[in-house]
Amino acid sequence: MRNLLFQQRIAITTFAILSLMIVAGCYLFSITLSKTSFATGTVLLISIFILASYQLRKKLSILLIGNTSAWLQFHIFLGLLTSVVFLLHMKMQIPDGLFEFLLFLNYLTVFFSGVIGWLLSRRIPHRLLSRGEEVIFERIPLHRRKIHDKVKSLVLESNASGKGAIPDFYDEHLRTFFEGPRNQLRHILHSERHRHELSQKITALQPYLNSQEQAVLQQISEQIQLKDDLDYQYIFQAIIKLWPFVHVPLTYSLIIFAVYHTLAVCAFASTSG
Amino acid sequence: MTEPLQPFDWKSSNYERPANTWVCGRLCEEGLPCHLGPSSKGDCQVQSRCEPEEKGGKYQCSRSILHGGKCKAGPAPDGTCCQPDSSCQPRRSLLARRRLLGGIAAFIAASLCLIIFGGASPSALLSPGAVTASHAKIESNCTACHTAAEGGLGTWIHIAFNDETALKDSGLCLKCHTELGNEALFAHGVSLKRLAEITKRIQTKDEPVSTPIALQLASLTGPPATKDQLSCSTCHREHHGRKADLTHLTDLQCQTCHTRQFEDFQHGHPALGDYPYNRRSRIYFDHDAHLNRYFVKDEFKRTMPAGVKPDSCDSCHTPDTSGRFMLTGSFKNTCASCHEPQIEDLEFPGVPFFALPAISPQIMKSQGTWPNTTGTFKTARLPQLMELLLEQDPLYQNAIKQLGTVDYRKLNGVDPDQYAAVAEIAWSIKRLLYDISTDGESVLQQRLGNSHPEYLHLNPSLIPTLSQAQQIWFPNLATEIKLHREKKPIPATAANVSKTQTVQIPRDAGNGWTLSESDFTIRYRPLGHADPLLKGWLDQVVRSQTQALDRDPMWRILSNPTASGTEDTQGALASGRCLMCHSVDQNPETGLSRINWLPLPASQTTEGFTQFSHAPHLSMGQYEKCAGCHAFEPSRPDNSAILQQDYFARDPANLFWQINVDGQQTCTSGFQPVSHQTCVTCHNKTTETQSCLQCHKYHAHKRMEKP
Amino acid sequence: MTDEMVESLLKAPPFSKIDPSGFKRSLPLRDILKNDVRIVGFDEGDIIVRRGDWGNSAFFILSGNMRVELEKKQTSLPDEILGRRTSRVKTFWESLTQLWNNNSEPEVREIASVSSSKATFHSRNTHGGTRIYLQEVSAVLDKYRTARLEPGQWFGEVAALGRTSRVATVFSEGVSQLLEIRWQGIRDILRHDKEGSLKQYIEDVFRERALSAFLRTDPLFQACQPELMQRIVEQVEFHTFGNYDSHKPFKQLLEDQNQKTDGREPVIIREGDYPSGIVMIRSGLARISQRHYNGRRTIGYLSPGQIFGLDEIQAEVKSLTPVACQTQLSAIGHLNAVLVPTTLVEEILAQNSSSKSSGSQKTKKSIRSTGSQSVKLKDDILLSQLVDRHFVQGTSLMVIDLDRCTRCDDCVRACATTHDNNPRFIRHGPILNQYMIPNSCLHCVDPICMIECPTGAIFRDLAQGDIIINEQTCIGCAQCASNCPFDAIRMVDIRDAKGALIVDSQTHAPLTQATKCDLCIDQRGGPACERACPHDALFRVDMHDATKVEGAFAS
């Protein structure tokens, strides 16, 4: 752990030094009346290619080109560094041209989705570990089904006719809960209100049940807990799996935009810098 | 303790393959996946799952343990699987969906790019931002500034790898910006040769300088090569908005190419040298004498306008409309009250242009009329113009030859055998007068045309006065000339008759020409300041023969400090001597000189690396007006003499002035040069008004002189 | 083996000495010989076993002489002479082609290899393939110290029974004939041999040939004088704990987690007893535990080659009074150990301390370190779980730190890429603290999966010791998958290149095969999963390397 902190300190220091060097280099370059946008643009383009090659590295896991974790560290580092270069490239202004604005938005989305993803991947594993059984995301429908089946059989067990306190309660309050992922926003916000509400309802129901039914209800509430935990796992695993859906596809469009931008700029840049 | 959700053993937990493209649709919909899963192409394989085994005509279920073991019901008698058809529509896996989304994003981006760039010429969508207000009119026309805009995508790719593009595009800028001259793309818009000169001059200076660290570091990255042409975009970057400042440059940026680099104006800027006195003023004006003597002592008070002495510089100097230059007040408003009388010089009789020498009647016996018979002629020679006019007369030249050296003062004392020659002189004069009165200007043209054009076209013209003189002095000249040409004797009576008539004719035409009957001389007396005749004559004289000016008798008269007029009269200071104040500048290239009749014309500046504007400085009330910058040299007795040398010098005989035509020499006019420190008191770091562009201009090319 | 050959074998020692009555009726000695034994002929210079190789069989010399190489150090037979090849690893280009050459269908096998495997199943007595031999036997004999093995002697049984690597190279001197017995055969014979003559023989041989070398692997014995060593070798006791081969108790233990686990484990040295000597583990694993309130708390475990009880004896030497054991040592599963009596240990200590005074500091230091040889963890709950669930078996245990893992499945994908698009593990499994132990092969020191494989398709890689399934010989019996206590082996339907299931021609049942992690043995750079993890969450740890284990589970 101490080692990790130490590493981070080195990374932060290196980052600060590098950003300073970039800013200083850019400033010096601007003094010589050179077009700093060309310099920063070149750096950006190369950086984007290097950053994108991280995806390639994942595919080429068989080759001995460094640990992926080292690559990721570098990816994050370089990604954050591009923001400095990007600001310099923008000259701290939002671009006016339509196409450049698109490129700007594209970069921002990719950058911020990356930062958010980075933070999420630091936070969410801990949350996932804190509650519910660790399951494979793709299997969650299967587990949900299993719980639902179990609940349905319990309901039937309580009253074979399908009528009675528990079946009615099930129809009224539980069916929708068990059918799919529920209370997603509440889980994200760490709210447990829905569970308190349900448990209150269950408590309220108990006076009307005989002892056998109460035992069944007890089992059902265990399943409720299980399902709720599963929902919790679902939503957080979904979040951590969904952010690359923004980050990765937009990287492709970013590359295409950036290459076109470079081409246009090289051809037209004699009047703007 | 509730049962865990997932079993781990191989029989009851599915084999997860997250790298696959397809997942079972039933997993997603119902949470009941089949173990087989979809094929790699996304087809449901559930149909091919079970092939019951035939054993002796009976079919047995052959489902493997992996798929749940043999089913209880077993296959149908015909050998088909008993399980209901539970095929599904497989879904893409998360990974595959992300891949698909990536493809879509890339496709959209690519097609968008092609739409924007794909046309034959770029659309406005490509514009990276608005251009400045001054270029707004041509904004929609990309080709106005970009050579790349002339073609489609292919052209750009070609151009993107072409180094010349920037210069080509700069050429497009210059199509409109013709005012930048022919060498606009070279550094500072001056020729390479001139730039080399300036650079050499700066390099030879040996002042200690401390280059700022930023520039030292920046020099490692290499500034633009100044030997080549620079594109406009090196400094002017467009498409940064309507209000963007196209000409903004920082001090460090300005200095990046410079040989001598320094921190800022306050620290390290080279001394200003003699600035702004790197040439003399257009008129010879002794500020020291005026401000410290004339404007101070009471004895001069009476001549001041309304008897009030000027108390500040703005009595004479006011800024022009641009605020840049200080204009000098007009002669009438500033100098006239003291100097008008001097110039008018009422005691000065005038410059003689025509005179009848005194010839005794006995010499002129039977030679017709000769009015001037008594007294002595005042000068040894005839007036300059007369001599020039007679130069072309062979008879006159003959007579002079016979007489040897002619002294017109002693004309009557010649030997009698030379009387004929003297008479011939008289006749020559009469002929001249006759010719002029009959033929006018053409005679002058004929007689002076080749040798002395400066005397032609005198304005006001001499001719009316000469004609008048002829009428007064030689009323019968036509007849006399006629008779003389016929070698007939001229009757003496005719002269007497005419004498009576002359009285009515005015002697002074009011245009400067006077006709004196007392000494039979026609003089020109300057009318005052800006006398047209003298001005015209001087312009012509100076233009062509500045070197010979001191030998010109007329100039000698005008420039003689001791006399205003002829040698024997005590003249006032400077009547008609325009060049006492107005300096003469020789153009070093053409060799032609000109008189600075007017103060510095604003349009006449040449290379302008520096521009100073007086008005803003004057509006800074707290500073002590002009004297704050233009301080006098400490008073010295020879100040005036030193200043004088810059304009003219005495000839060795101390008789007349030699004009100094070198206008470009340093001349402080009695002031101390403006010191760098003086500027720094205001232009420093705290006031933030010390940027290079405050005083200097990049485009220092020679301005087109306005007509 | 033909019946006649079996008969002739039974008439001669050593089999004639074995009482056949002790054997079960279902598995008589005759059948064991018939199934697990073969006679192999060798020519001069043929190498029978190589040092360092993993072997599954023992040899009995019928005729001819063998030469066993004695040197254990640098001067031993070089690899070139032994004709050892480094195992085949994919080239860079081959690795790259996996990107597009991998089958898009899962579990594709070449039908030819599958069908031919059936043919080779019964013909394992023919030792096909090329045999490695020494070119110049006489030169080798001159140059290297060797010992002669004569007819009637066994060799290779130590490695076969201990499922460890061979300790020496043996080659044939002249033409020879050997009896090769698979380890299952020896196991069965040992188990049912009432008189124990074979067992005694094997122990004696071990004592004679390998014990001193084995002891010298520990720093304590390194500097031991030959005379003392000789006495030690003579007096060392051999002990075996636990059932030799059965995986049954092992599985049961796993199934009822709630029970106190060490109650059933045979105790080697009890807490509070005065040790009769130091225990050095030959094979198997041992738990070190300590009394904790009314139960026992696991505080460490021992792997082969490690020593227990030295601290107590050292303390005794210092204080001159007997010191009771502070901890208890018990066997996990089957365990072979040697016990060096206290008196001898004291002698060694005295000898070492005297040599220390004459300047050898090194020994002293290394002796100290033996005390901390056992694997210890700060978190004793985690440790006891690791031990209880037998994860300590693993030589390459996959662990995922769930505090770091983002469940991105990059590891699984990397695994799939290196295995023809088939992931060889599933990212689920038991969770200890924040550590998930996924269902991936641990590559156990004592691989139970290998016990009942009918074709030997699951085997130890000779070079690296990784346990690998040979796809060409796997018949899909699922024995290994069922035996594996870690659910690390999975049965899969195999397919042809077009993705169609390969079915048995008669039963139409889809053919299955066992699959499991092979530690990317044919890949450059080792396990792809570990390198593919972007968050440093997945790591593999050799549970027998104390420092690595402590480092891995430190946080």
Side-chain angles (χ1 to χ4, degrees), chain C residues 64-334:
Chain C
N65 289 327
M66 294 290 128
R67 278 282 171 179
V68 58
E69 160 217 27
L70 292 178
E71 297 285 351
K72 306 294 178 199
K73 304 247 168 63
Q74 297 299 319
T75 51
S76 65
L77 288 169
D79 283 350
E80 299 85 68
I81 294 184
L82 294 179
R84 181 171 283 156
R85 284 171 301 174
T86 45
S87 64
R88 169 96 173 91
V89 173
K90 283 186 176 157
T91 62
F92 177 82
W93 177 245
E94 283 172 328
S95 297
L96 200 63
T97 52
Q98 289 179 119
L99 275 183
W100 56 87
N101 276 357
N102 276 352
N103 277 301
S104 52
E105 299 294 340
E107 309 295 351
V108 172
R109 305 283 191 277
E110 285 183 29
I111 302 176
S113 74
V114 176
S115 52
S116 72
S117 74
K118 286 179 183 166
T120 55
F121 170 41
H122 290 293
S123 57
R124 66 185 153 92
N125 281 351
T126 59
H127 197 105
T130 51
R131 201 175 274 163
I132 302 149
Y133 64 96
L134 298 176
Q135 294 275 359
E136 299 270 339
V137 175
S138 53
V140 170
L141 291 178
D142 286 347
K143 199 170 174 186
Y144 303 98
R145 284 208 308 134
T146 54
R148 173 173 291 185
L149 295 175
E150 282 163 359
Q153 282 183 313
W154 288 89
F155 68 87
E157 73 291 339
V158 175
L161 289 174
R163 289 182 281 232
T164 56
S165 59
R166 305 283 191 199
V167 291
T169 301
V170 179
F171 58 89
S172 174
E173 189 186 15
V175 179
S176 60
Q177 209 172 29
L178 296 180
L179 195 69
E180 184 180 0
I181 308 182
R182 291 202 296 156
W183 66 268
Q184 289 94 338
I186 307 180
R187 173 197 64 191
D188 291 341
I189 295 168
L190 286 180
R191 192 192 291 166
H192 302 295
D193 179 14
K194 276 184 181 165
E195 289 160 28
S197 61
L198 184 60
K199 187 179 176 187
Q200 187 60 45
Y201 172 80
I202 286 169
E203 265 180 18
D204 289 346
V205 167
F206 177 73
R207 198 188 291 275
E208 187 188 313
R209 291 193 200 142
L211 184 56
S212 112
F214 170 68
L215 288 175
R216 279 186 200 275
T217 58
D218 192 90
L220 179 69
F221 299 99
Q222 248 168 29
C224 187
Q225 302 289 329
E227 178 271 331
L228 180 60
M229 181 55 89
Q230 185 57 42
R231 277 193 291 136
I232 292 171
V233 166
E234 280 163 15
Q235 293 182 39
V236 156
E237 298 167 28
F238 290 98
H239 292 280
T240 306
F241 301 92
N243 202 335
Y244 177 79
D245 61 333
S246 174
H247 60 282
K248 293 274 157 51
F250 190 93
K251 263 252 146 134
Q252 278 163 11
L253 280 176
L254 268 182
E255 274 153 17
D256 29 75
Q257 293 288 322
N258 294 339
Q259 280 190 298
K260 274 275 149 266
T261 45
D262 58 349
R264 288 155 179 250
E265 283 174 1
V267 177
I268 301 162
I269 297 180
R270 202 168 290 282
E271 186 175 351
D273 282 359
Y274 298 101
S276 55
I278 57 168
V279 175
M280 192 165 169
I281 315 284
R282 271 179 63 201
S283 65
L285 294 167
R287 180 201 302 266
I288 305 172
S289 60
Q290 205 169 27
R291 189 170 180 79
H292 190 67
Y293 300 111
N294 287 324
R296 302 207 64 79
R297 184 173 63 176
T298 308
I299 58 163
Y301 62 92
L302 292 182
S303 309
Q306 291 178 330
I307 284 180
F308 180 83
L310 187 62
D311 290 343
E312 282 77 9
I313 294 175
Q314 273 178 326
E316 190 184 308
V317 169
K318 256 183 205 163
S319 63
L320 299 172
T321 50
V323 177
C325 267
Q326 302 297 306
T327 52
Q328 175 171 309
L329 189 70
S330 51
I332 310 168
H334 178 73

Side-chain angles (χ1 to χ4, degrees), chain B residues 6-20 35-41 45 48-55 60-67 95 98-99, chain C residues 104-107 409 412-413 416 421-430 439 478 481-482 487 489-493 495 498-501 503 506-510 512 515-516:
Chain B
Q6 50 186 355
F8 299 135
D9 66 295
W10 64 274
K11 285 176 194 162
S12 42
S13 78
N14 206 356
Y15 203 123
E16 289 299 326
R17 298 170 187 274
N20 281 8
H35 285 269
L36 210 53
S39 75
S40 64
K41 291 178 186 67
Q45 297 185 99
S48 60
R49 189 178 51 160
C50 213
E51 267 186 75
E53 180 191 0
E54 190 185 355
K55 236 181 192 175
Q60 280 184 339
C61 182
S62 64
R63 197 159 66 161
S64 73
I65 310 167
L66 208 60
H67 299 140
L95 186 73
R98 201 171 82 190
R99 232 180 277 145
Chain C
S104 52
E105 299 294 340
E107 309 295 351
D409 273 333
V412 188
R413 246 172 276 152
N421 254 345
N422 304 301
R424 285 291 177 243
F425 75 101
I426 296 176
R427 195 180 48 76
H428 68 182
N439 291 164
S482 308
D487 298 314
I489 303 179
R490 304 220 146 227
M491 304 307 296
V492 293
D493 292 328
R495 296 162 191 259
K498 284 177 187 163
L501 293 174
V503 292
Q506 284 154 21
T507 62
H508 292 292
T512 57
T515 62
K516 69 180 240 348

Side-chain angles (χ1 to χ4, degrees), chain B residues 518-596:
Chain B
S518 59
D519 54 359
F520 299 94
T521 306
I522 294 173
R523 290 189 174 84
Y524 183 79
R525 213 184 68 81
L527 291 169
H529 188 251
D531 176 72
L533 183 131
L534 278 187
K535 193 168 171 245
W537 177 74
L538 278 171
D539 272 342
Q540 292 196 49
V541 167
V542 162
R543 191 176 163 77
S544 48
Q545 38 182 319
T546 324
Q547 300 308 321
L549 193 61
D550 4 331
R551 290 192 294 278
D552 189 295
M554 181 147 148
W555 169 247
R556 288 188 176 199
I557 294 168
L558 289 169
S559 69
N560 191 329
T562 57
S564 53
T566 49
E567 286 167 43
D568 53 340
T569 47
Q570 287 299 107
L573 196 84
S575 172
R577 301 200 311 248
C578 317
L579 301 192
M580 280 295 285
C581 290
H582 294 283
S583 62
V584 180
D585 281 355
Q586 189 173 40
N587 185 330
E589 287 167 24
T590 59
L592 291 178
S593 302
R594 49 174 286 177
I595 303 170
N596 294 307

Side-chain angles (χ1 to χ4, degrees), chain C residues 34 53 56 69 77 190 255 317 366 381 454 457 467 472 478 512:
Chain C
K34 194 175 173 184
D53 281 356
N56 296 329
E69 160 217 27
L77 288 169
L190 286 180
E255 274 153 17
V317 169
S366 49
I381 302 170
I467 295 152
Q472 279 152 26
T512 57

Side-chain angles (χ1 to χ4, degrees), chain B residues 26-44:
Chain B
R26 290 178 55 198
L27 170 70
C28 304
E29 282 162 20
E30 302 161 52
L32 279 176
C34 61
H35 285 269
L36 210 53
S39 75
S40 64
K41 291 178 186 67
D43 304 322
C44 182

Side-chain angles (χ1 to χ4, degrees), chain A:
Chain A
M1 206 61 199
R2 174 178 293 179
N3 194 21
L4 199 74
L5 275 178
F6 181 66
Q7 276 181 351
Q8 276 178 356
R9 209 176 308 155
I10 286 182
I12 290 167
T13 321
T14 323
F15 184 81
I17 291 171
L18 271 179
S19 338
L20 267 178
M21 279 173 65
I22 289 170
V23 173
C26 192
Y27 171 67
L28 291 178
F29 218 53
S30 77
I31 285 177
T32 64
L33 290 170
S34 310
K35 287 175 180 164
T36 52
S37 299
F38 270 97
T40 50
T42 314
V43 171
L44 267 184
L45 190 70
I46 293 170
S47 299
I48 285 173
F49 278 122
I50 293 173
L51 288 171
S53 71
Y54 172 64
Q55 181 73 11
L56 206 65
R57 161 68 186 88
K58 283 191 171 186
K59 290 229 160 64
L60 293 173
S61 57
I62 33 193
L63 302 183
L64 289 173
I65 38 178
N67 253 334
T68 313
S69 69
W71 270 73
L72 179 67
Q73 292 302 314
F74 183 67
H75 181 84
I76 292 169
F77 186 86
L78 190 63
L80 290 175
L81 207 61
T82 57
S83 68
V84 177
V85 186
F86 187 73
L87 280 180
L88 287 173
H89 192 64
M90 302 282 33
K91 304 215 164 74
M92 309 279 182
Q93 284 168 339
I94 296 171
D96 296 342
L98 176 87
F99 175 71
E100 300 200 330
F101 188 68
L102 262 179
L103 183 60
F104 170 78
L105 274 190
N106 202 162
Y107 171 83
L108 280 194
T109 325
V110 171
F111 175 74
F112 281 111
S113 66
V115 171
I116 288 168
W118 174 43
L119 297 177
L120 286 179
S121 66
R122 288 277 179 280
R123 287 289 309 145
I124 287 189
H126 193 67
R127 283 192 165 191
L128 284 176
L129 196 58
S130 69
R131 196 174 146 193
E133 189 183 333
E134 173 72 32
V135 288
I136 293 174
F137 183 70
E138 286 82 353
R139 282 189 188 161
I140 283 177
L142 193 143
H143 299 315
R144 198 189 296 132
R145 169 77 179 221
K146 193 171 150 190
I147 293 171
H148 198 181
D149 285 350
K150 172 95 190 228
V151 170
K152 278 195 262 189
S153 71
L154 280 172
V155 169
L156 273 179
E157 192 184 308
S158 75
N159 200 318
S161 67
K163 298 272 175 195
I166 288 179
D168 285 351
F169 184 76
Y170 170 78
D171 283 340
E172 197 177 337
H173 300 298
L174 299 181
R175 188 188 292 278
T176 46
F177 174 73
F178 281 110
E179 265 171 357
R182 298 288 178 259
N183 305 311
Q184 299 180 351
L185 199 61
R186 287 215 174 94
H187 284 304
I188 292 173
L189 299 173
H190 269 233
S191 158
E192 305 217 333
R193 193 176 147 187
H194 55 283
R195 259 170 64 193
H196 291 305
E197 281 174 359
L198 256 181
S199 65
Q200 272 176 349
K201 283 172 192 161
I202 288 172
T203 320
L205 185 66
Q206 270 177 350
Y208 312 109
L209 303 179
N210 61 29
S211 60
Q212 189 211 338
E213 282 176 327
Q214 279 190 0
V216 169
L217 193 63
Q218 182 57 38
Q219 278 178 297
I220 288 177
S221 59
E222 274 171 13
Q223 296 301 315
I224 289 174
Q225 175 69 43
L226 215 53
K227 165 67 174 42
D228 198 46
D229 289 349
L230 192 66
D231 280 350
Y232 184 87
Q233 287 279 328
Y234 176 80
I235 185 62
F236 280 108
Q237 289 211 34
I239 288 173
I240 210 165
K241 281 198 192 298
L242 280 180
W243 74 263
F245 275 72
V246 179
H247 190 68
V248 178
L250 284 183
T251 303
Y252 295 124
S253 61
L254 180 65
I255 288 174
I256 288 174
F257 279 142
V259 168
Y260 269 87
H261 171 71
T262 311
L263 188 66
V265 157
C266 286
F268 282 83
S270 67
T271 58
S272 69

Side-chain angles (χ1 to χ4, degrees), chain B residues 225-236:
Chain B
T226 47
K227 285 194 173 172
D228 304 322
Q229 294 191 318
L230 298 168
S231 69
C232 302
S233 63
T234 311
C235 303
H236 308 296

